[in-house]
């Protein structure tokens, strides 16, 4: 039986979370707050009233600072004032296709911004645990049929993937140069599969695109129907991050390093299979295969080997592909029908924890 992240551990802990206004970050902020953590979020301001952060009204529950990772002075001032015990670094430019349109911002944010976070952590003696989030796309993609392991080669064809591989190299350098010599802190990089879930409204991501198309009664256009991805609900990797954050705090050197958090192999499905499942659960919609933009490379086959997390952390995924899609689409259906977004999201967390037992 997997050892669960206990509410008692995070109760009262000072947790600094970069990227709290983002999709994954807002879910993590809600979960941490529900466990009684003292959360400070640092991120760019949300861009829409329908962003998950705003829908949850999180600004009333946690302290939030509008800030850019590249504002080194402000970032250091926040660390110095808050004196966090645990840091979750999620802030990033997270879209592959946008990285083609604006590669400089992608590299600046994902590499230089991450350096600024590492420097702030290095200088802040209160920090005992750092979770440094990159991506499954940090691996050099050889289109293998088996999953990538934590010790496989890094690389990246598109600017986004390359920026995450570079961020991993920076992290490795900081471990070797600084953190390995500090017995009081545990640091880990985490690489998750393609996360989906309610409350995501980002442009050019598959689930928000599906919801917008269905709501507007137009076909869902997909570019690469046969590309496979390790689809997982957003709560799956977040549960891994939370568990790892606790383990790093308790046994810093034992759990430092790189970790994969992905679904079982049965959840590695094509884009077309995902969209068709969304349509089935929603009860309406149709799919149309559009033209692929040959100038913007995207990986065709990708999934992760998570044996390290299963054996060393006793973490395992809970929701299979069908349940992941059901939970995701039901969030949007409930929201459309007028349910309170915060109650929907908290119910999903409760359901996930209930199924985890």
């Amino acid at each position: 039986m997997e050892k669960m992240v206990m509410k008692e551990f995070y109760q009262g802990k000072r947790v600094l979370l970069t990227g709290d206004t983002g999709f994954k970050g807002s879910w993590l902020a809600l979960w941490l707050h529900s466990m009684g953590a003292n959360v400070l979020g640092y991120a760019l301001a949300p861009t829409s009233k329908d962003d998950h952060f705003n829908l949850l009204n999180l600004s009333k529950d946690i302290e939030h600072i509008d800030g850019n990772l590249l504002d080194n002075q402000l970032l250091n001032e926040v660390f110095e004032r808050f004196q966090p015990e645990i840091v979750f670094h999620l802030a990033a430019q997270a879209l592959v296709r946008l990285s083609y349109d604006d590669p400089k911002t992608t590299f600046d944010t994902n590499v230089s911004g991450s350096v600024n976070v590492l420097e702030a952590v290095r200088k802040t003696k209160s920090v005992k645990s750092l979770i440094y989030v990159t991506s499954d796309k940090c691996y050099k993609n050889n289109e293998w049929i088996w999953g990538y392991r934590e010790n496989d080669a890094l690389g990246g064809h598109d600017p986004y993937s390359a920026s995450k591989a570079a961020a991993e190299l920076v992290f490795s350098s900081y471990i070797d140069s600084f953190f390995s010599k500090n017995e009081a802190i545990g640091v880990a990089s985490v690489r998750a599969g393609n996360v989906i879930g309610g409350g995501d409204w980002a442009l050019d991501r598959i689930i928000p695109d599906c919801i917008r198309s269905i709501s507007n009664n137009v076909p869902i256009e997909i570019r690469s129907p046969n590309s496979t991805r390790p689809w997982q609900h957003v709560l799956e990797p977040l549960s891994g991050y939370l568990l790892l954050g606790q383990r790093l705090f308790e046994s810093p050197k034992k759990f430092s390093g790189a970790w994969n958090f992905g679904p079982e192999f049965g959840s590695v499905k094509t884009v077309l299979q995902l969209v068709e499942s969304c349509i089935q659960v929603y009860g309406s919609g149709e799919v149309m295969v559009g033209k692929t933009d040959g100038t913007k490379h995207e990986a065709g086959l990708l999934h992760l080997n998570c044996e390290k997390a299963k054996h060393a952390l006793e973490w395992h995924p809970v929701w299979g592909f069908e349940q992941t899609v059901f939970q995701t689409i039901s969030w949007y259906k409930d929201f459309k029908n007028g349910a309170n977004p915060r109650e929907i999201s908290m119910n999903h967390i409760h359901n996930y924890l209930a199924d985890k037992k």
Side-chain angles (χ1 to χ4, degrees):
M1 179 67 68
E2 175 188 340
K3 295 179 182 177
M4 291 298 300
V5 175
M6 299 304 295
K7 179 178 180 180
E8 289 77 11
F9 171 76
Y10 281 99
Q11 178 78 37
K13 289 289 192 303
R14 297 188 307 279
V15 181
L16 192 151
L17 166 61
T18 73
D20 61 311
T21 57
F23 169 52
K24 286 173 70 176
S26 58
W27 275 97
L28 182 55
L30 176 66
W31 199 342
L32 283 164
H33 173 73
S34 74
M35 292 190 291
N38 178 10
V39 182
L40 184 148
Y42 183 98
L44 298 177
T47 58
S48 166
K49 65 179 179 62
D50 284 337
D51 282 355
H52 194 229
F53 180 90
N54 284 336
L55 292 176
L56 297 177
N57 207 14
L58 276 175
S59 61
K60 293 189 179 298
D61 297 321
I62 70 172
E63 181 181 358
H64 169 76
I65 304 294
D66 284 345
N68 194 311
L69 291 181
L70 300 177
D71 189 342
N72 195 42
Q73 180 177 345
L74 177 59
L75 186 64
N76 278 281
E77 288 173 357
V78 170
F79 267 79
E80 184 176 358
R81 173 177 63 80
F82 187 63
Q83 292 292 299
E85 299 168 272
I86 302 171
V87 175
F88 291 92
H89 172 42
L90 277 70
Q93 192 299 94
L95 299 175
V96 172
R97 290 176 68 80
L98 179 59
S99 76
Y100 281 104
D101 297 330
D102 193 355
K104 185 178 186 306
T105 297
T106 300
F107 282 108
D108 285 348
T109 302
N110 296 350
V111 183
S112 297
S114 294
V115 170
N116 288 343
V117 172
L118 290 168
E119 275 292 281
V121 168
R122 184 171 73 89
K123 296 173 182 177
T124 307
K125 303 305 180 184
S126 61
V127 179
K128 306 300 181 187
S129 177
L130 166 65
I131 302 293
Y132 179 93
V133 179
T134 63
S135 170
D136 59 345
K137 295 176 181 63
C138 71
Y139 293 107
K140 181 179 180 181
N141 196 331
N142 297 305
E143 303 287 338
W144 285 335
I145 61 172
W146 53 85
Y148 292 96
R149 299 166 298 177
E150 288 85 350
N151 58 353
D152 281 327
L154 302 174
H157 187 288
D158 58 89
Y160 169 77
S161 300
S163 74
K164 287 301 188 178
E168 284 281 359
L169 291 174
V170 168
F171 178 78
S172 179
S173 173
Y174 267 76
I175 285 186
D176 293 340
S177 301
F178 307 111
F179 296 132
S180 65
K181 303 172 184 177
N182 184 349
E183 296 294 328
I185 185 172
V187 297
S189 69
V190 293
R191 306 153 182 181
N194 285 56
V195 297
I196 60 176
D200 187 7
W201 304 101
L203 295 174
D204 205 29
R205 276 213 288 252
I206 187 66
I207 293 298
D209 286 349
C210 286
I211 298 302
R212 280 188 287 266
S213 295
I214 293 173
S215 299
N216 293 325
N217 199 30
V218 297
I220 303 166
E221 184 174 351
I222 56 177
R223 299 182 302 271
S224 304
N226 297 317
S227 292
T228 66
R229 294 290 185 271
W231 309 106
Q232 61 184 156
H233 194 275
V234 62
L235 295 178
E236 298 278 23
L238 294 185
S239 73
Y241 301 171
L242 288 167
L243 178 61
L244 183 55
Q246 178 179 352
R247 295 294 177 256
L248 288 168
F249 195 97
E250 296 166 342
S251 302
K253 297 312 164 192
K254 181 178 179 180
F255 294 99
S256 289
W259 298 83
N260 286 340
F261 293 102
E264 302 290 3
F265 185 75
S267 291
V268 179
K269 302 287 187 180
T270 67
V271 172
L272 180 59
Q273 287 173 310
L274 174 66
V275 172
E276 289 177 339
S277 295
C278 291
I279 290 171
Q280 181 179 7
V281 173
Y282 203 98
S284 63
E286 59 179 307
V287 61
M288 177 182 70
V289 178
K291 292 182 179 180
T292 301
D293 184 352
T295 66
K296 296 180 178 179
H297 173 270
E298 292 187 75
L301 181 63
L302 179 62
H303 66 100
L304 297 173
N305 180 312
C306 301
E307 292 304 307
K308 179 182 176 182
K310 291 178 183 178
H311 293 290
L313 269 181
E314 299 183 50
W315 173 90
H316 63 89
V318 175
W319 286 341
F321 178 74
E322 290 77 14
Q323 183 70 348
T324 292
V325 175
F326 173 78
Q327 293 288 339
T328 298
I329 300 304
S330 67
W331 192 101
Y332 291 99
K333 292 181 69 175
D334 290 344
F335 175 67
K336 180 182 179 182
N337 291 331
N340 182 288
R342 186 186 184 89
E343 293 180 3
I344 304 171
S345 296
M346 280 305 308
N347 284 338
H348 283 215
I349 292 174
H350 292 320
N351 292 341
Y352 180 79
L353 290 174
D355 289 345
K356 210 170 180 64
K357 293 179 180 179

